[in-house]
Amino acid sequence: VHQPESCTASENLLDESRSGDQSASGPLHSEWITLNVGGKIFTTTQGTLTRFDGDSMLARMFSNDKGVGWSSRVDESGAYLIDRSPLYFEPILNYLRHGKLILDKNVNPEGVLEEAKFFGITSLIETLEEIIDREQQPDDNTPIT
Amino acid sequence: VHQPESCTASENLLDESRSGDQSASGPLHSEWITLNVGGKIFTTTQGTLTRFDGDSMLARMFSNDKGVGWSSRVDESGAYLIDRSPLYFEPILNYLRHGKLILDKNVNPEGVLEEAKFFGITSLIETLEEIIDREQQPDDNTPIT
Amino acid sequence: VHQPESCTASENLLDESRSGDQSASGPLHSEWITLNVGGKIFTTTQGTLTRFDGDSMLARMFSNDKGVGWSSRVDESGAYLIDRSPLYFEPILNYLRHGKLILDKNVNPEGVLEEAKFFGITSLIETLEEIIDREQQPDDNTPIT
Amino acid sequence: VHQPESCTASENLLDESRSGDQSASGPLHSEWITLNVGGKIFTTTQGTLTRFDGDSMLARMFSNDKGVGWSSRVDESGAYLIDRSPLYFEPILNYLRHGKLILDKNVNPEGVLEEAKFFGITSLIETLEEIIDREQQPDDNTPIT
Amino acid sequence: VHQPESCTASENLLDESRSGDQSASGPLHSEWITLNVGGKIFTTTQGTLTRFDGDSMLARMFSNDKGVGWSSRVDESGAYLIDRSPLYFEPILNYLRHGKLILDKNVNPEGVLEEAKFFGITSLIETLEEIIDREQQPDDNTPIT
């Protein structure tokens, strides 16, 4: 709170707004991470992003040996930039939080499938393909016979 | 309003933007609390978060002996960070406001159930499980017979 | 525009960001008011909030003898804090704008009813109860007979 | 970029955040305009707002002889304040962009009709009334006989 | 980080908030671009916007010979202003990311068609027209005979 030099307060403001939560000095897996997915902000933890599928893109992006091979850009608020759909990333992130895939009625599972493929979350791909198969049959008005 | 030193005004701006509403010096239960749930901001009061289920995670997080065993992080605006789905937290928070569980048609109750379990709001878990049971029967096209 | 003292410009910035539109010196009923309902910002006028049901909580909160018995908190941007659901407040506010209750298909009228009761907008309560009655009958699959 | 006096940089920041896009010095009809409709920000151009129905409220508000009889308030970011529903303004603005009325399935056309009436976009009123008539028949379960 | 002169820190703050991600000095096609479509912010990359349909408006707007004939305005945060519907731009941008058109159930494909036409993404126009044809038949209750 002590700020002896007058205008360096503005400098601090700058640092604050930049650092976001990435500067977390907390224990392993409780580091807070902010993602900017297609323009929408998601806040989560390193533990969530690396929980399942150690080979997934997210797990590799945010594992502790971060920096090795990972050269993502952050936006001006410090959020990691990901050029994907925020609509369909939402159920992906929620799955990583508790291990269940939950889709609202108006969400197209084909959109979520594209994200599961992109992020390499293989445990979700098969589940989503089954959901899509099941949904398409009544839509096609294919007689069951 | 008096700000004798020139640039310390910037310092005040910094404090303002940080303090949010957590610095409320108001009476018990009317303290305003800002939550950052998965990237979305929710504003509520301590009274709402501690109303039902004294044993719930939220009640324990925001009870008056806060600080005891509670070491949550806040984001740069002063909002408490919670790594959960904002979509399904919304009806949970609304329930805490008036005691009724209200779901829009496009909200998947299974998502809300996961949050009720996570936050330990036991009074909601049974209600949600019944809703899910009831919804699944017509979807499965299981003949009633 | 004239700002003779250098850093007091920052002071003005602070005032600007705080005052929002509440500082309106405009004529009666055209004062702009910003509400922070559960974390979502709504912008409206005093005329809208006090139009119907002079006894409603909103009418009393924002009538001209404001300050009498009204001790609401404002957030750091100057918006009045209300600890209610933004989802279901939306049709309430829209009703106050033109006197018609309009619900989208995916909005649960029971949520709007809770807000009508909370804000004391008695003219809406009966209408909403009728809508809820009508909707529940086909859902219950109760034979009319 | 040259800013000889130290703290007047803050003054510029103030001007920037205020001016928004209204200060556009571009050619006629390509002036960018930011609207704050009920708390939600919409960005569009003068050409869009004045395209159809020269007598519409929007056309008169944003025509070139702006200032004549137009005394709207702007919020602290420079957006013109309009005390209406953002939900139902969205299809109105989209109509002004390309001349087609497009409604999502969960949008209540009665809400859009209220906005068309308020803004005086007469070319939309009849179309919306026809849509409402058509929709209500199956909802009323009125036998066609 | 070195900021010898006191108040020029504010100047830097200004620059930061303006530059957004457009100042990317990264390799070709990985430049981050922020779009302000009708008031909503979308973040994406140059590679996405120029991937398909080299003749599309987006491809021409953000190709490397940018500046030639392209005189778009940016808002105060540095985002490129586009006067179109954000609702219907969302599936267009998502298509540019992975080449699949994915529509949620409540999205009106006619709205997406208007955007596909505006942006000149010819590969999408025919697909969307087929979807609209298929959807309209059951809605019209036209007997198939």
Side-chain angles (χ1 to χ4, degrees):
Chain A
V1 182
H2 286 270
Q3 251 143 351
E5 305 91 35
S6 56
C7 278
T8 50
S10 299
E11 207 185 330
N12 281 6
L13 174 63
L14 185 62
D15 288 349
E16 267 312 296
S17 65
R18 235 190 218 153
S19 66
D21 301 298
Q22 285 73 34
S23 63
S25 53
L28 207 85
H29 279 274
S30 70
E31 187 180 358
W32 287 91
I33 287 168
T34 305
L35 306 172
N36 178 336
V37 181
K40 186 172 177 184
I41 295 298
F42 294 88
T43 309
T44 187
T45 56
Q46 191 194 22
T48 291
L49 292 173
T50 60
R51 188 160 297 146
F52 302 107
D53 284 303
D55 280 342
S56 84
M57 186 186 143
L58 289 167
R60 280 179 288 126
M61 271 171 73
F62 296 103
S63 67
N64 279 315
D65 46 341
K66 196 165 58 180
V68 184
W70 165 245
S71 60
S72 177
R73 293 280 311 270
V74 295
D75 69 12
E76 75 273 18
S77 76
Y80 290 94
L81 285 156
I82 296 179
D83 183 18
R84 300 297 294 183
S85 156
L87 279 180
Y88 302 119
F89 178 69
E90 184 120 27
I92 297 277
L93 178 58
N94 206 17
Y95 167 77
L96 294 177
R97 287 186 177 119
H98 49 52
K100 296 204 175 156
L101 175 69
I102 291 166
L103 303 180
D104 279 352
K105 281 160 199 161
N106 62 339
V107 170
N108 191 329
E110 296 183 62
V112 187
L113 176 60
E114 287 307 307
E115 304 312 301
K117 284 178 180 169
F118 176 80
F119 290 108
I121 301 174
T122 49
S123 52
L124 271 183
I125 295 175
E126 206 180 334
T127 310
L128 281 159
E129 288 175 337
E130 283 173 21
I131 291 172
I132 293 162
D133 278 356
R134 231 182 306 145
E135 284 207 356
Q136 277 178 334
Q137 290 184 350
D139 281 336
D140 287 352
N141 291 321
T142 320
I144 308 176
T145 59
Chain B
V1 182
H2 287 270
Q3 253 146 346
E5 305 92 33
S6 56
C7 280
T8 50
S10 299
E11 206 184 328
N12 281 6
L13 172 63
L14 186 60
D15 287 350
E16 268 312 297
S17 66
R18 237 190 216 154
S19 65
D21 302 300
Q22 286 73 34
S23 63
S25 53
L28 206 85
H29 279 274
S30 70
E31 187 180 358
W32 286 91
I33 288 169
T34 305
L35 306 173
N36 178 335
V37 181
K40 185 173 177 183
I41 295 298
F42 294 89
T43 309
T44 187
T45 56
Q46 192 195 20
T48 291
L49 292 173
T50 60
R51 187 160 297 147
F52 302 107
D53 284 304
D55 281 339
S56 85
M57 185 185 143
L58 288 167
R60 280 179 287 127
M61 272 171 73
F62 296 102
S63 66
N64 278 317
D65 46 343
K66 194 164 60 180
V68 184
W70 166 245
S71 60
S72 177
R73 292 283 310 272
V74 296
D75 69 12
E76 74 274 17
S77 76
Y80 290 94
L81 286 156
I82 297 179
D83 183 17
R84 301 297 295 182
S85 156
L87 277 181
Y88 302 119
F89 178 71
E90 184 120 27
I92 298 276
L93 178 58
N94 206 17
Y95 167 76
L96 294 177
R97 286 184 177 121
H98 50 50
K100 296 204 175 155
L101 175 69
I102 291 166
L103 302 179
D104 280 352
K105 280 160 199 162
N106 63 339
V107 170
N108 191 330
E110 297 183 61
V112 187
L113 177 60
E114 288 306 307
E115 304 313 301
K117 284 179 180 169
F118 177 79
F119 290 108
I121 301 175
T122 49
S123 52
L124 271 183
I125 295 175
E126 206 180 333
T127 310
L128 282 159
E129 287 175 337
E130 282 173 21
I131 291 171
I132 293 163
D133 278 356
R134 228 183 308 145
E135 285 207 354
Q136 277 177 335
Q137 289 185 352
D139 282 334
D140 288 350
N141 290 322
T142 319
I144 309 176
T145 54
Chain C
V1 182
H2 285 271
Q3 255 145 345
E5 305 91 34
S6 55
C7 279
T8 51
S10 298
E11 206 184 328
N12 281 6
L13 173 62
L14 186 60
D15 287 351
E16 269 310 299
S17 65
R18 238 191 217 152
S19 64
D21 303 298
Q22 286 73 33
S23 64
S25 53
L28 207 84
H29 280 275
S30 70
E31 186 180 358
W32 286 92
I33 287 169
T34 306
L35 305 173
N36 177 336
V37 182
K40 186 171 176 182
I41 295 299
F42 293 89
T43 308
T44 186
T45 56
Q46 191 195 19
T48 291
L49 292 174
T50 60
R51 187 160 299 147
F52 303 107
D53 283 305
D55 280 339
S56 85
M57 185 184 142
L58 289 166
R60 281 179 288 128
M61 272 171 72
F62 296 102
S63 67
N64 279 319
D65 47 344
K66 195 165 57 179
V68 185
W70 167 245
S71 60
S72 177
R73 292 280 313 271
V74 296
D75 69 12
E76 74 274 18
S77 78
Y80 290 95
L81 285 157
I82 296 179
D83 183 17
R84 299 299 295 183
S85 155
L87 278 180
Y88 301 119
F89 178 71
E90 184 119 28
I92 298 277
L93 178 58
N94 206 17
Y95 167 76
L96 295 177
R97 286 183 176 120
H98 49 51
K100 296 206 175 154
L101 175 69
I102 291 165
L103 303 179
D104 279 353
K105 281 160 198 161
N106 63 340
V107 170
N108 191 330
E110 297 184 60
V112 187
L113 176 60
E114 288 305 308
E115 304 313 302
K117 285 179 181 170
F118 177 81
F119 289 109
I121 302 173
T122 49
S123 52
L124 271 182
I125 294 175
E126 206 180 336
T127 311
L128 282 159
E129 286 175 338
E130 282 173 20
I131 291 171
I132 293 163
D133 278 357
R134 228 183 308 145
E135 285 208 354
Q136 277 177 336
Q137 290 186 352
D139 282 336
D140 288 351
N141 291 321
T142 321
I144 308 176
T145 55
Chain D
V1 184
H2 285 271
Q3 253 143 348
E5 306 90 35
S6 55
C7 279
T8 50
S10 299
E11 206 184 327
N12 282 6
L13 174 61
L14 186 60
D15 287 350
E16 268 310 299
S17 64
R18 237 190 218 152
S19 63
D21 303 296
Q22 287 72 34
S23 63
S25 53
L28 207 84
H29 279 275
S30 70
E31 186 180 359
W32 286 92
I33 287 169
T34 306
L35 305 173
N36 177 337
V37 181
K40 187 173 175 181
I41 295 298
F42 293 88
T43 309
T44 186
T45 55
Q46 192 194 21
T48 290
L49 292 174
T50 60
R51 188 160 298 146
F52 302 107
D53 283 305
D55 280 339
S56 85
M57 184 184 143
L58 288 166
R60 281 179 288 126
M61 271 171 72
F62 297 102
S63 66
N64 278 318
D65 46 344
K66 196 164 57 178
V68 184
W70 166 244
S71 61
S72 177
R73 292 281 311 271
V74 296
D75 70 12
E76 74 273 19
S77 77
Y80 290 95
L81 285 156
I82 296 179
D83 184 19
R84 299 297 296 182
S85 155
L87 279 180
Y88 301 119
F89 178 71
E90 184 118 30
I92 297 277
L93 178 58
N94 207 17
Y95 167 77
L96 295 177
R97 287 185 176 118
H98 49 50
K100 296 206 175 154
L101 175 69
I102 290 165
L103 302 179
D104 279 353
K105 281 160 199 163
N106 62 339
V107 170
N108 190 330
E110 297 183 61
V112 187
L113 176 60
E114 288 305 308
E115 305 313 302
K117 285 177 180 170
F118 177 81
F119 289 109
I121 302 173
T122 49
S123 52
L124 270 183
I125 294 175
E126 206 179 337
T127 312
L128 281 160
E129 286 175 337
E130 282 173 22
I131 291 171
I132 292 164
D133 278 356
R134 228 182 309 144
E135 284 208 356
Q136 276 178 334
Q137 289 184 351
D139 281 336
D140 287 350
N141 291 319
T142 319
I144 308 176
T145 59
Chain E
V1 183
H2 286 270
Q3 251 143 350
E5 307 91 35
S6 55
C7 279
T8 49
S10 299
E11 206 184 327
N12 281 7
L13 173 63
L14 185 61
D15 287 349
E16 266 312 295
S17 64
R18 237 190 218 151
S19 64
D21 302 298
Q22 285 74 33
S23 64
S25 53
L28 208 84
H29 280 275
S30 71
E31 185 180 359
W32 287 92
I33 288 168
T34 305
L35 306 173
N36 177 338
V37 181
K40 187 173 176 182
I41 296 298
F42 293 89
T43 309
T44 186
T45 55
Q46 192 194 21
T48 290
L49 292 172
T50 59
R51 189 161 296 147
F52 303 106
D53 284 304
D55 281 341
S56 85
M57 183 185 145
L58 289 166
R60 280 179 287 126
M61 271 171 74
F62 297 102
S63 68
N64 279 316
D65 46 343
K66 197 165 54 180
V68 184
W70 165 244
S71 60
S72 177
R73 293 280 312 270
V74 296
D75 69 12
E76 74 274 18
S77 77
Y80 290 95
L81 285 156
I82 296 178
D83 183 19
R84 300 297 294 183
S85 155
L87 279 179
Y88 302 119
F89 178 70
E90 184 119 29
I92 297 276
L93 178 57
N94 206 18
Y95 167 75
L96 294 177
R97 286 184 177 121
H98 49 52
K100 296 204 175 156
L101 175 69
I102 291 166
L103 302 180
D104 279 353
K105 282 159 200 163
N106 62 339
V107 170
N108 191 331
E110 297 183 63
V112 187
L113 176 60
E114 287 306 307
E115 304 313 301
K117 285 178 180 170
F118 176 80
F119 290 109
I121 302 174
T122 49
S123 52
L124 272 183
I125 294 175
E126 206 180 335
T127 311
L128 281 159
E129 287 175 337
E130 282 173 22
I131 291 172
I132 292 163
D133 278 356
R134 229 182 308 144
E135 285 208 355
Q136 276 177 334
Q137 290 185 350
D139 282 335
D140 287 351
N141 292 319
T142 321
I144 309 176
T145 58

